[in-house]
Amino acid sequence: MPERTPEELVTFPKATISRFPLYFRALTEYNHQNIGLVSSEEMAQKVGVTPSQLRKDLSYFGSLGIRGAGYDVAYLLAKIKEILGMDRQRRLGIIGAGRMGMALAGYSGFKQHGLEVLALFDIDRAKWGPVNEQLTVFPLSELAAQREKLGLEIAVLTVPKAEAQKVAELAVEAGFRALWNFAPVRLEVPPEVIVQYEDIVVGVLTLSHHLARKFGT
Amino acid sequence: MPERTPEELVTFPKATISRFPLYFRALTEYNHQNIGLVSSEEMAQKVGVTPSQLRKDLSYFGSLGIRGAGYDVAYLLAKIKEILGMDRQRRLGIIGAGRMGMALAGYSGFKQHGLEVLALFDIDRAKWGPVNEQLTVFPLSELAAQREKLGLEIAVLTVPKAEAQKVAELAVEAGFRALWNFAPVRLEVPPEVIVQYEDIVVGVLTLSHHLARKFGT
DNA sequence: CTCCTCTTGTGAATAATTTCACAATCTCAA
DNA sequence: TTGAGATTGTGAAATTATTCACAAGAGGAG
Ligand SMILES: NC(=O)c1ccc[n+]([C@@H]2O[C@H](COP(=O)([O-])OP(=O)(O)OC[C@H]3O[C@@H](n4cnc5c(N)ncnc54)[C@H](O)[C@@H]3O)[C@@H](O)[C@H]2O)c1
Ligand SMILES: NC(=O)c1ccc[n+]([C@@H]2O[C@H](COP(=O)([O-])OP(=O)(O)OC[C@H]3O[C@@H](n4cnc5c(N)ncnc54)[C@H](O)[C@@H]3O)[C@@H](O)[C@H]2O)c1
């Protein structure tokens, strides 16, 4: 019987993971500038966190730096890729080839993060067909087949909010275990499915609130 | 000498404000369904928080419910609008009429939150001109004039990341005090300017991390 | 008017996250 | 090889956020 993996069970704040993309981008820049070693102070300054927060964040994943010297840029970059699951390509399928779906499909920033949009799906037949050399909009009925064929792992939901629950269920049926939902609704899905919500108005309403508070307008 | 306003100085968790849009949408739905009164239990269930969290969040802004009965939907809706600064229209100008800028410009979800996109700006003259009946892409040089004329309060930055710092400075010069930045870079701005960052890859990389952890892939 | 039921509002308790502060230990120069 | 200087890694302290639990009303029935 294969022994159960010991499952290194470190727990860490949820916010820690959300800071890793910042660290990743800073390190990528250092790498481009041929900087091989960087201190927590320098890097923290660049991304706008405290040095101790940066060190603590990294420490949850082991002893990744060199005492007395700093962090090896290339090594830390590799480690962060591993932690974020960027050490292998993640393939995305976008459901809903409307304004938001198409904007995401054309986003050039995904590539450097190991993310790749390989297909779009829509219910509207007018949208079916190739978008460019690499990308095609498929009928929704192709969801399961293309997921399998292209190795899609993450379903991006950019359909109208009234459709989101139904489409989420179709995605789960088609074998997706990770959903990235842009529609402003809470989804009911089986417990093994991970849902990440992207609520775009939160940011701008936070601004609006600050304007109301600070400037009284 | 006019006395300093007492400045009701309640402090509350930052996350509190980010939950208000959820409450707002739930209440809007109750309103549509002609439900006049709702309990914290019912509403919390709907948005996916605990009832005590919902009550605590609201309590920072006063005693907004009716003991023994629940919350008056219409009243609470009005209060939340006030808190989020949605009781008056907020006008947005989008700088960068590319894929993301155009997707946001066409987003129908802003209206119900009291947000209104009134202009786009771009450096590329090929983009200048009317988009539809209500919306025009202006040359970047029009920024200050149109901000004043249209009453724009929030500048949305959807320019390439290499341009973002420069564009932020132009926006501040043009009189904007609130920036909503979609470019993945930290901006240096004067302290009186509020910046809200929208880092789109954080969400999907969080998913990627969970996939890597949970399913080992 | 009184009593009973219901649900809020909120201090206090608990939990989570961040910051502090310093021992550990690496580098480099002589 | 040693010592000085630098910077990490991390328990402990401080701070911030959430949950608990119940007193304080509100409302309705009789
Ligand atoms: N546009 C934005 O900037 C923006 C911002 C934040 C969130 N969103 C959210 O993203 C979603 C899409 O917004 P949008 O502005 O792109 O809308 P859109 O109307 O431009 O696009 C929606 C697309 O979904 C397709 N569709 C409808 N029902 C479908 C179904 N059952 N299966 C598959 N495809 C279906 C439509 O044919 C259309 O192509 C909405 O939920 C919206 O709230 C949009
Ligand atoms: N497309 C997406 O889904 C997406 C998602 C997240 C973040 N973003 C970010 O949003 C920004 C724009 O992305 P995009 O995909 O829309 O790019 P894009 O290339 O489609 O659009 C950029 C637009 O900005 C204009 N521009 C360039 N320099 C300018 C300047 N100095 N002043 C004014 N306008 C200028 C260009 O003419 C173009 O119209 C980038 O920073 C990107 O990282 C995009």
Side-chain angles (χ1 to χ4, degrees):
Chain A
M1 191 187 287
E3 85 181 349
R4 177 192 285 275
T5 53
E7 189 75 47
E8 177 124 359
L9 207 57
V10 262
T11 72
F12 49 86
K14 285 185 283 306
T16 287
I17 278 296
S18 73
R19 285 186 289 266
F20 272 67
L22 305 180
Y23 304 155
F24 170 78
R25 288 192 206 111
L27 289 163
T28 301
E29 258 188 64
Y30 291 131
N31 210 27
H32 280 163
Q33 294 170 280
N34 270 75
I35 295 169
L37 205 61
V38 71
S39 71
S40 60
E41 169 122 27
E42 154 66 33
M43 189 172 160
Q45 157 88 47
K46 177 163 190 136
V47 307
V49 302
T50 64
S52 58
Q53 173 138 82
L54 169 36
R55 294 203 300 275
K56 183 63 109 180
D57 280 345
L58 296 178
S59 78
Y60 293 118
F61 299 92
S63 180
L64 307 181
I66 307 158
R67 285 175 194 231
Y71 292 91
D72 183 286
V73 171
Y75 176 75
L76 187 53
L77 212 37
K79 274 298 187 180
I80 288 183
K81 281 188 186 178
E82 197 183 310
I83 292 162
L84 290 179
M86 290 162 52
D87 50 343
R88 67 200 263 338
Q89 210 70 2
R90 296 261 172 224
R91 306 198 177 88
L92 314 185
I94 296 179
I95 313 183
R99 285 175 294 242
M100 194 61 183
M102 293 307 284
L104 290 172
Y107 183 39
S108 57
F110 283 146
K111 197 165 119 192
Q112 70 155 316
H113 295 93
L115 302 163
E116 214 177 358
V117 176
L118 286 188
L120 290 132
F121 301 89
D122 207 290
I123 206 174
D124 178 2
R125 60 190 322 137
K127 309 227 167 178
W128 300 349
V131 175
N132 56 37
E133 297 87 71
Q134 13 273 327
L135 217 51
T136 299
V137 181
F138 294 101
L140 202 53
S141 57
E142 289 275 306
L143 202 52
Q146 294 296 331
R147 184 195 62 75
E148 186 123 25
K149 181 170 164 208
L150 300 171
L152 306 177
E153 292 181 273
I154 297 174
V156 185
L157 270 52
T158 49
V159 295
K161 75 170 178 208
E163 305 287 319
Q165 177 61 41
K166 196 171 61 192
V167 169
E169 284 161 21
L170 289 175
V172 170
E173 245 172 68
F176 285 97
R177 289 292 161 269
L179 309 180
W180 188 22
N181 177 33
F182 281 74
V185 283
R186 176 150 292 269
L187 302 176
E188 301 284 340
V189 294
E192 77 274 14
V193 176
I194 315 169
V195 181
Q196 179 76 33
Y197 294 90
E198 194 75 41
D199 194 340
I200 213 115
V201 305
V202 166
V204 66
L205 287 182
T206 302
L207 268 184
S208 174
H209 164 78
H210 286 319
L211 284 173
R213 283 215 131 198
K214 272 191 151 161
F215 303 118
T217 68
Chain B
M1 192 189 284
E3 85 182 347
R4 178 191 283 277
T5 54
E7 190 74 46
E8 179 123 358
L9 207 56
V10 263
T11 71
F12 49 86
K14 286 185 280 310
T16 287
I17 278 297
S18 72
R19 284 187 290 265
F20 272 63
L22 304 180
Y23 304 154
F24 170 77
R25 288 192 205 112
L27 288 163
T28 302
E29 259 188 63
Y30 291 131
N31 211 24
H32 280 162
Q33 296 171 281
N34 270 77
I35 295 169
L37 206 60
V38 71
S39 72
S40 61
E41 169 122 27
E42 153 68 31
M43 189 171 157
Q45 156 87 46
K46 177 164 189 135
V47 307
V49 302
T50 63
S52 58
Q53 173 137 82
L54 168 36
R55 294 203 300 274
K56 183 62 112 180
D57 280 345
L58 297 177
S59 79
Y60 294 118
F61 299 91
S63 180
L64 307 181
I66 306 159
R67 287 176 192 229
Y71 292 91
D72 182 287
V73 171
Y75 175 75
L76 187 53
L77 212 36
K79 274 299 188 182
I80 288 184
K81 282 188 186 178
E82 196 183 311
I83 292 162
L84 289 178
M86 291 163 53
D87 49 343
R88 66 201 265 335
Q89 210 69 2
R90 296 260 172 227
R91 308 201 175 86
L92 314 185
I94 296 179
I95 313 181
R99 284 174 294 243
M100 195 60 185
M102 292 308 283
L104 290 172
Y107 184 39
S108 57
F110 283 146
K111 197 164 118 190
Q112 69 155 316
H113 295 93
L115 302 162
E116 216 178 357
V117 175
L118 286 188
L120 290 132
F121 301 89
D122 207 291
I123 205 172
D124 177 2
R125 59 191 323 136
K127 309 227 168 180
W128 299 348
V131 175
N132 55 37
E133 296 88 71
Q134 14 273 327
L135 218 51
T136 299
V137 181
F138 294 101
L140 203 53
S141 56
E142 290 275 307
L143 202 53
Q146 293 296 330
R147 184 195 63 74
E148 185 123 26
K149 180 169 163 207
L150 300 171
L152 306 176
E153 292 179 274
I154 297 175
V156 186
L157 270 53
T158 49
V159 295
K161 75 171 177 208
E163 305 288 319
Q165 177 61 40
K166 198 171 60 191
V167 169
E169 285 161 21
L170 289 174
V172 170
E173 246 174 66
F176 285 97
R177 290 292 162 269
L179 310 179
W180 188 23
N181 177 33
F182 281 75
V185 282
R186 175 150 293 267
L187 303 176
E188 300 284 340
V189 295
E192 77 275 14
V193 177
I194 315 169
V195 181
Q196 179 75 33
Y197 295 90
E198 195 74 41
D199 195 339
I200 212 113
V201 304
V202 166
V204 66
L205 288 182
T206 302
L207 268 184
S208 174
H209 164 78
H210 286 319
L211 284 172
R213 281 214 131 197
K214 272 191 147 158
F215 303 117
T217 68

